[in-house]
Amino acid sequence: MAHHQSAESRPNRLPSFIEVLDRKTKPPVDLFSFYIYMRDQQRSVDYLDFWLDVSQHTHLCRHFVSELRRSILVETPDLEKTASKRSSYILDHLGDTNDPSGPSTEPHNDEKLKDQTVSAYLRQDNNGSNLSPQSSLGSRRSASAMRYGERPPRPSFISRNSPTGSDSSSPGGRVVARADIRASAEKILYTYILPGAEREVTLPHGILQDITVAIEEEGRDDPEVFDMAKEYTFQAMERDAFPGFLRAKVFGNIVPPSRFLRLVLGLIAFFAGMWAAFVLIFLDKPKHVRCWLILPFTIGVYSLASHQYHMDPLLALAGLSEYTFCNFSRIEEPYVRKMMMRRASMVLFITVSIGVALICLFIFVPGRRL
């Protein structure tokens, strides 16, 4: 429901980048479409995967600390007597860090404060505290914690028909172990950060060095370890990729392979129409025979206009947008749909005007047999 309310709350503007990442938008400007755009057109999907993995790591840390807080409140009412004053203060002021909508991406002060509180507790926990959900719950919880490899797919891989309000990344009744957080941080390090990593992302040397030292030498795994890298990749995607994504999805509805196919088809049909028109003129064929020129000229002009304007107007008027070759989604974002309809009407008007002009020219021009 929040997903629909957020879309209706911006009837006269395009979504922001943070709204796309936070899954508050609809096709064709949703997170799924942005992921496909980064993969197929920008060729830099590793940056988005890194950002999503760090967000997932943050959510994992939040869930661990929130579960720990609840278990301690249930099993140890006199927290101040059994734990350090520092841990007691952090846990008492943490609140419920579980966001039912999944990893939070909102850059609000309260969210940053929660992340800082979680990081502060995890750093202290690393420095000697042996509190964990398993130890506080005892036999009431299963010792088999959720492995990091079992986490659900990223939002970008979730079906666009799945409800965005569901807690797809919540471990549910299973307990997040402290080792899972460590494994999550190390996986990000070995996958994206270290030189020669499988999906190494380009980051400033200082940021890379700080992350490596924090994880490998200081033993940290709290969310603040990745803050600078996450902010850097966010700004890079917002500056370099997001404007092109909006242009591609708001002012067009076909992907580059479809554009190229329309270019080839348009050129073939247009030159075939021109050849047939001159043949019919110089053979002095009657006008009703020349009416067959409508077919090649219509196909040629329509295809070339679709290539030029990055848009198939008939598909746009039908409310369809192509996200991969010959795969379409409904245009559900209200403002995008409104802009698409206007642009499709303009392209269709231009196409019809040029087509009618060419057809009339070659049908009604006097014939002359050579």
Side-chain angles (χ1 to χ4, degrees), residues 131-153:
L131 292 173
S132 68
Q134 290 88 339
S135 62
S136 58
L137 285 173
S139 61
R140 294 182 57 184
R141 296 286 188 185
S142 170
S144 59
M146 181 194 73
R147 295 296 93 195
Y148 179 74
E150 297 176 1
R151 66 184 178 94

Side-chain angles (χ1 to χ4, degrees), residues 53-72:
D53 277 347
V54 171
S55 296
Q56 187 74 23
H57 175 74
T58 301
H59 181 60
L60 195 68
C61 295
R62 287 183 178 186
H63 186 85
F64 171 80
V65 176
S66 180
E67 182 71 17
L68 177 63
R69 176 180 181 272
R70 284 196 295 266
S71 64
I72 289 178

Side-chain angles (χ1 to χ4, degrees), residues 268-299:
I268 292 175
F270 185 79
F271 284 112
M274 294 290 290
W275 176 82
F278 282 107
V279 168
L280 294 176
I281 290 173
F282 291 125
L283 291 179
D284 196 17
K285 295 296 182 180
K287 292 181 175 59
H288 71 273
V289 175
R290 297 191 207 176
C291 287
W292 285 102
L293 296 174
I294 294 175
L295 184 60
F297 278 131
T298 299
I299 296 175

Side-chain angles (χ1 to χ4, degrees), residues 69-107:
R69 176 180 181 272
R70 284 196 295 266
S71 64
I72 289 178
L73 291 178
V74 171
E75 299 292 332
T76 317
D78 299 330
L79 179 63
E80 292 81 359
K81 299 178 181 179
T82 59
S84 68
K85 293 293 182 179
R86 175 66 175 169
S87 296
S88 172
Y89 178 83
I90 292 175
L91 291 174
D92 284 344
H93 289 76
L94 182 60
D96 188 5
T97 56
N98 272 335
D99 183 358
S101 64
S104 174
T105 56
E106 294 279 2

Side-chain angles (χ1 to χ4, degrees), residues 242-313:
F242 189 62
F245 169 71
L246 287 182
R247 285 193 299 270
K249 296 302 179 181
V250 176
F251 299 109
N253 67 339
I254 55 177
V255 296
S258 291
R259 288 186 60 218
F260 180 75
L261 179 63
R262 282 165 169 78
L263 175 63
V264 174
L265 178 62
L267 290 175
I268 292 175
F270 185 79
F271 284 112
M274 294 290 290
W275 176 82
F278 282 107
V279 168
L280 294 176
I281 290 173
F282 291 125
L283 291 179
D284 196 17
K285 295 296 182 180
K287 292 181 175 59
H288 71 273
V289 175
R290 297 191 207 176
C291 287
W292 285 102
L293 296 174
I294 294 175
L295 184 60
F297 278 131
T298 299
I299 296 175
V301 172
Y302 184 86
S303 299
L304 291 176
S306 297
H307 171 268
Q308 178 65 28
Y309 290 99
H310 301 209
M311 171 180 288
D312 189 309

